[in-house]
Amino acid sequence: MNAGGLLDLHLATYTDYAIPGELFPGGFAYSTELADDIAIVAADHPVVTTPNIISNAELCGWWYSSLGSFSTVPASAVEVLEIAGSGNPCAMELPFGAGRIFATLQTVEWQDASYNYLENMILYELNIGRWFRLQNLPSLPCALLPGETLTFDVVFNPTQAGEFDAQVNIDSNDADEPAVAVTLSGKGIIAHTVTFIEGDNGTITGDKVQIIRDGADATAVTAVPNIGYHFTSWSGDYAGSDNPLTITNVTAPKTITANFAVNNVQIATDIASLSVNEGLTNTFNVKLTAQPTANRTVAVTVYVGDSDMTVLSGSPLTFTTSNWETYQTVTLAAAEDADTASGSALIRCSSDGMTDKDIAATEADNDYALAVINDGNGTTVPAGTSFQTKGVAASINATSATGYHFVN
């Protein structure tokens, strides 16, 4: 069985010797059920097609064609025959280890049994014809009028390396149309299954299940992350991060999983600091460092500092799964004030789940102090010290007191 062989179980026995409920290799059990009417379930299975095409009638009337049926049948089993009426399987095939089990409760050794069916079973047990299956067969027997044709498929599906032959016999009851024997030949090669599994939050493009000849290369597959995620690595029978991935020189079955992780989304700005002229505006730009899983909102505020500095526009900012890497503009304004000091403020960009991003903003003050002093024999406007805007002409008016005149 470890080499892919077939374990054949002929379990037909009278009830005096049967052990109903006893588990057999493969996990199924026997139930007593004496029956003469048998029906084909798997019409393309070799035991009913190769080399002889078997009809339901050939399986019935053996003076008990089956002495029991199977219960607790594994889901992986192929039910070949069943007891008509009850629908319980009496012949089936199922995987076991590296090979397979074929089990029957039919009395195929009795003289009433179909010799064609017995021949099929023996040849199948000897590996002859097991690799060839007939498919798309009509209901048998069938009648053909002169000039009519009948088409069916022959599928070659070996599970081990080597050269195999089989024969399909087509009988005829027309003396002008003798029986036909068709010889089938096929060459099996060692092949392996390479399975690629999609991990959470991503998909795989390419053939995810590949049957590869021993020593050949698999075709390339590509791991594609969902929105907001990124591909990290392959695991299982291959470890690495190549993407696309091509598995070369396949000499054994492989199962490989694509792994994905959520993006580490943070706030990015195009500058770390800026200066805003008093009475004017200046801008900086904001984007995200990676694609988010959904829309994200970034608030921009004056976190601390000069109250003359305000966010004029650009808050809040909304970034989607499509525009996350496109800069959006924030405009700062510095109001006029009556001092000559260049104030500063910390502008904070923030969003839930992200690290705050700060911009150092400095107000470039445009004022200077103008001191007007008189000798007491008149007045001036402005008087004393006042703050004036750089680059703008300042007007000073002097008015003399009674009995005095303005000199300079």
Side-chain angles (χ1 to χ4, degrees), residues 31 42 84 145 201 321 387:
S31 297
L145 297 176
N201 303 307
T321 58
F387 296 97

Side-chain angles (χ1 to χ4, degrees), residues 52-401:
N52 307 296
I53 298 175
I54 306 300
S55 66
N56 282 337
E58 290 182 79
L59 300 171
C60 301
W62 299 353
W63 191 54
Y64 295 145
S65 302
S66 180
L67 297 181
S69 61
F70 296 115
S71 58
T72 64
V73 176
S76 59
V78 175
E79 298 183 7
V80 181
L81 304 178
E82 68 181 15
I83 296 176
S86 72
N88 296 325
C90 58
M92 64 181 182
E93 185 171 359
L94 65 156
F96 187 74
R100 304 185 69 78
I101 291 174
F102 185 85
T104 180
L105 292 165
Q106 298 169 270
T107 53
V108 291
E109 76 281 6
W110 291 14
Q111 64 179 6
D112 297 311
S114 165
Y115 290 112
N116 286 339
Y117 178 66
L118 180 60
E119 180 185 15
N120 284 9
M121 184 172 289
I122 292 173
L123 292 177
Y124 186 66
E125 294 162 2
L126 295 175
N127 291 345
I128 301 173
R130 188 193 310 171
W131 317 128
F132 297 89
R133 292 179 181 266
L134 303 185
Q135 292 185 348
N136 300 322
L137 289 169
S139 298
L140 299 174
C142 66
L144 296 179
L145 297 176
E148 288 186 334
T149 61
L150 171 64
T151 301
F152 58 88
D153 298 324
V154 178
V155 177
F156 179 57
N157 186 29
T159 59
Q160 63 188 58
E163 296 185 359
F164 305 96
D165 297 314
Q167 182 173 291
V168 177
N169 297 326
I170 303 175
D171 293 328
S172 173
N173 62 1
D174 188 343
D176 296 328
E177 297 290 344
V180 177
V182 180
T183 300
L184 307 174
S185 298
K187 183 177 182 179
I189 58 174
I190 298 175
H192 310 287
T193 301
V194 179
T195 303
F196 297 94
I197 298 175
E198 299 169 342
D200 293 339
N201 303 307
T203 59
I204 293 175
T205 60
D207 293 333
K208 292 189 280 290
V209 179
Q210 303 182 27
I211 308 299
I212 308 300
R213 187 173 63 182
D214 188 68
D217 299 342
T219 59
V221 295
T222 302
V224 181
N226 291 347
I227 289 175
Y229 294 82
H230 62 279
F231 168 72
T232 58
S233 64
W234 303 97
S235 60
D237 292 320
Y238 173 84
S241 57
D242 293 344
N243 196 29
L245 174 66
T246 300
I247 301 298
T248 60
N249 189 28
V250 177
T251 58
K254 294 182 182 295
T255 300
I256 301 167
T257 300
N259 302 300
F260 305 90
V262 67
N263 291 339
N264 179 20
V265 182
Q266 298 296 333
I267 301 169
T269 58
D270 60 340
I271 54 176
S273 62
L274 79 167
S275 177
V276 184
N277 291 330
E278 186 178 81
L280 299 176
T281 62
N282 202 355
T283 62
F284 66 92
N285 297 304
V286 180
K287 68 176 182 178
L288 301 183
T289 60
Q291 185 184 46
T293 58
N295 290 359
R296 301 299 299 269
T297 299
V298 175
V300 184
T301 59
V302 178
Y303 180 65
V304 67
D306 193 339
S307 60
D308 293 332
M309 192 77 69
T310 60
V311 177
L312 186 62
S313 65
S315 180
L317 303 172
T318 299
F319 293 95
T320 69
T321 58
S322 299
N323 73 353
W324 60 272
E325 57 185 342
T326 300
Y327 275 120
Q328 297 188 45
T329 300
V330 177
T331 301
L332 302 182
E336 293 283 359
D337 56 16
D339 60 45
T340 58
S342 293
S344 63
L346 191 67
I347 310 302
R348 174 155 291 178
C349 305
S350 60
S351 182
D352 290 343
M354 301 186 199
T355 303
D356 294 338
K357 183 70 174 179
D358 293 335
I359 299 291
T362 302
E363 173 199 40
D365 200 280
N366 63 353
D367 297 326
Y368 65 93
L370 174 64
V372 179
I373 302 172
N374 65 46
D375 56 5
N377 297 314
T379 60
T380 60
V381 177
T385 301
S386 64
F387 296 97
Q388 305 295 326
T389 302
K390 296 177 182 178
V392 178
S395 176
I396 304 174
N397 294 317
T399 303
S400 58

